[in-house]
Amino acid sequence: MSQSDLFSWSMERDPVLRSTIVSVLILDTDPDWDRLVETIDRGTRLVPRLRHRLVAAPFGLAPPRWTLDQGFDLSWHLRRVALPEPGTMSAVLEFARTEAMTAFDPARALWRSTLLSGLSGGRCALLMTVHHSLTDGIGGIQIAAALLDFDRAGTDRGHPPEPRHDHDGALRDIVAWNWAVGSDLLRGGIRATPDTAWRVLVHPARAVRDSAALATSVVRLAKPITATLSPVMIERSLGRRLAVLDAPVDQMRSAARAVGCTMNDAFLTAVVIGLRRYHERHGAKVDQLRLTMPISLRTADDRLGGNRITLARFALPVDIAETEDLMRAVDAAVGGWRREPAIPLSGAVAAAFNRLPVGAVTKMLKHVDFVASNVPGSPVPLYVAGARIDRMYAFGPTIGTAVNVTLISHAGTCYVAINADTAAIPDLATLTECLAAGFATVLRLGGERAPQAAAEATGEASRSTP
């Protein structure tokens, strides 16, 4: 496991920090079952980790190693279930929340998929439940792009070979992993030393300032958090409730452009406004809320799957009344963190966290207020086994916070998934209404269609599970 993957796996020693991702695809019709089985099977060949299980290294001398599950049984991981009548979206979300709260069997590959038939209107739902150590959000979209089709007929993409078993022994694996870590650090030091020495000789004052800035940045990235900023969303538990919202991509982009910001800034601003309204509903005033935001480090050369992100934890302003000013303040805060010198060192920071007592890490994460993630999806319709994907939601883990709000853009619509801790947010319907109002406020910056989009956001899809 990489250090980032290990961090996702290790923090689950506290079940409240369980790192399960549940993706829900709403399909316009039942897919062809045999084609679906073939598609999923092909995915396990393209991404061998989907056929691997974790085996602990002796004495903890290295992270757990991914090894091929010799008893891998696709029929155990891929299931189909009929929804109870009348087959509502609420029933789908109820099934999905149970998936989000269910731990994985560590003796098997860390994923499962379920086809829910009988959704009203002749539709169905396809759920994919994966552990975060298998992939991050963008990695998941890349895996989907390698499997999904652009029309109902589909495309023959060949049949990749089955993954091969790694016969290296545990001792050899421990030596290889520690050698790789040490040699990477050594190579990095060798590469950096001439440049550093040159800067010290030519610009000694600048070299000192750069070193101090890097050290300060590392402290900011890894510093402990000892207090929750929200006076309302405080408690934590194993309970989860799910809800969804929809908003048009074009209006979100127009709103962002009107202020000179990005769509991610517009998304975060909508969430912040919604959380502000939620606190007002509870008679509380809040100036700032602390966010965990995944920052992607993925490059074109990275393999499918795995985690190539770092988790930045920082406060966002909440008490700025004018929407445009709030979005600019959000943009400044996010932009500052994306430019932090320590971001490329996130693997080293994760390695440090992996060596801390689990209690220290969990206390730190439980004082963050919310998680928000924006994952770019496909701009055009996609199909799976002959069925068109009409909606796509990804419920990310709360990892100790009160709520995770994840946006995926797909075929012209922003699909917003809300995963809330029931102890922190016992009234998810109220939070969903407040978030819908937050999106409506932002969308009004994008033109005349914004009020209509706000009405759509408060429809059936926005209701939480009962």
Side-chain angles (χ1 to χ4, degrees):
M1 300 186 84
S2 70
Q3 295 291 355
S4 296
D5 296 345
L6 178 61
F7 181 69
S8 294
W9 177 251
S10 298
M11 66 182 177
E12 199 163 296
R13 286 176 287 180
D14 183 338
V16 175
L17 274 64
R18 192 164 285 157
S19 296
T20 302
I21 303 171
V22 182
S23 297
V24 177
L25 309 181
I26 303 300
L27 310 180
D28 70 335
T29 187
D30 286 344
D32 180 278
W33 178 253
D34 291 337
R35 284 178 61 187
L36 180 62
V37 171
E38 183 179 352
T39 297
I40 301 298
D41 177 70
R42 184 174 184 275
T44 66
R45 297 165 184 267
L46 285 175
V47 186
R49 191 169 292 183
L50 295 176
R51 291 196 180 196
H52 284 68
R53 63 186 183 93
L54 284 173
V55 176
F59 310 110
L61 296 176
R65 65 194 301 256
W66 297 103
T67 185
L68 189 66
D69 181 4
Q70 296 295 320
F72 177 78
D73 181 357
L74 183 62
S75 66
W76 189 92
H77 293 272
L78 179 57
R79 311 152 183 193
R80 48 181 168 178
V81 176
L83 287 169
E85 293 183 356
T88 62
M89 185 66 182
S90 291
V92 174
L93 295 182
E94 181 66 20
F95 189 96
R97 87 177 187 97
T98 303
E99 285 287 280
M101 295 187 296
T102 303
F104 287 96
D105 181 355
R108 298 179 184 270
L110 303 178
W111 69 276
R112 52 186 175 264
S113 186
T114 308
L115 180 67
L116 300 179
S117 61
L119 190 57
S120 61
R123 301 170 300 161
C124 71
L126 179 63
L127 275 64
M128 177 65 80
T129 308
V130 302
H131 194 277
H132 210 314
S133 61
L134 286 177
T135 187
D136 53 39
I138 293 179
I141 291 294
Q142 290 178 343
I143 293 172
L147 296 177
L148 301 178
D149 300 312
F150 294 105
D151 54 45
R152 291 191 191 275
T155 304
D156 184 3
R157 304 191 187 193
H159 199 59
E162 289 200 14
R164 293 181 300 176
H165 179 58
D166 181 3
H167 295 285
D168 289 348
L171 179 59
R172 180 175 176 181
D173 190 66
I174 291 170
V175 172
W177 185 84
N178 284 280
W179 174 264
V181 171
S183 60
D184 285 348
L185 291 173
L186 181 61
R187 283 195 298 270
I190 292 173
R191 285 195 300 266
T193 298
D195 291 340
T196 302
W198 178 255
R199 285 196 301 270
V200 169
L201 289 173
V202 178
H203 302 290
R206 184 188 302 173
V208 171
R209 286 197 302 270
D210 290 347
S211 298
L214 179 59
T216 303
S217 179
V218 170
V219 170
R220 279 197 294 268
L221 188 64
K223 72 177 180 180
I225 296 173
T226 58
T228 307
L229 294 179
S230 169
V232 174
M233 307 183 305
I234 298 174
E235 301 298 325
R236 302 291 186 261
S237 72
L238 293 175
R240 300 291 180 268
R241 290 287 184 187
L242 310 181
V244 297
L245 295 170
D246 301 344
V249 168
D250 288 345
Q251 267 54 57
M252 285 288 288
R253 285 178 177 156
S254 296
R257 285 196 295 265
V259 188
C261 296
T262 67
M263 195 171 94
N264 186 62
D265 298 326
F267 161 61
L268 289 176
T269 302
V271 174
V272 166
I273 293 173
L275 291 173
R276 182 177 68 199
R277 292 174 68 98
Y278 181 75
H279 282 76
E280 290 171 351
R281 290 275 195 100
H282 287 270
K285 184 179 183 300
V286 62
D287 297 328
Q288 292 181 316
L289 289 174
R290 188 172 285 111
L291 158 75
T292 289
M293 187 183 75
I295 297 177
S296 178
L297 305 176
R298 190 172 293 275
T299 68
D301 297 328
D302 289 324
R303 57 176 172 77
L304 289 175
N307 281 274
R308 292 290 294 133
I309 59 172
T310 188
L311 299 178
R313 298 163 294 118
F314 56 96
L316 287 179
V318 176
D319 61 343
I320 300 175
E322 295 297 326
T323 306
E324 297 92 332
D325 294 338
L326 178 59
M327 193 183 300
R328 293 188 185 99
V330 167
D331 173 71
V334 172
W337 271 95
R338 289 189 184 279
R339 293 188 295 271
E340 280 286 341
I343 292 298
L345 302 178
S346 59
V349 174
F353 282 156
N354 288 334
R355 285 161 175 77
L356 291 175
V358 65
V361 176
T362 59
K363 285 182 181 178
M364 178 173 64
L365 294 175
K366 289 177 182 178
H367 287 306
V368 178
D369 299 299
F370 70 105
V371 183
S373 181
N374 173 22
V375 182
S378 171
V380 299
L382 295 173
Y383 298 80
V384 55
R388 186 182 67 234
I389 299 172
D390 284 345
R391 297 180 184 177
M392 180 182 293
Y393 302 101
F395 298 93
T398 62
I399 53 175
T401 69
V403 62
N404 181 310
V405 184
T406 297
L407 180 153
I408 289 185
S409 56
H410 173 73
T413 300
C414 297
Y415 293 103
V416 182
I418 305 163
N419 182 5
D421 186 314
T422 56
I425 302 172
D427 51 348
L428 180 56
T430 300
L431 175 65
T432 305
E433 291 174 10
C434 292
L435 288 172
F439 276 90
T441 300
V442 169
L443 288 169
R444 278 194 287 270
L445 299 175
E448 296 180 357
R449 287 182 56 195
Q452 180 182 359
E456 293 170 356
T458 57
E460 180 200 35
S462 71
R463 291 200 295 268
S464 64
T465 57

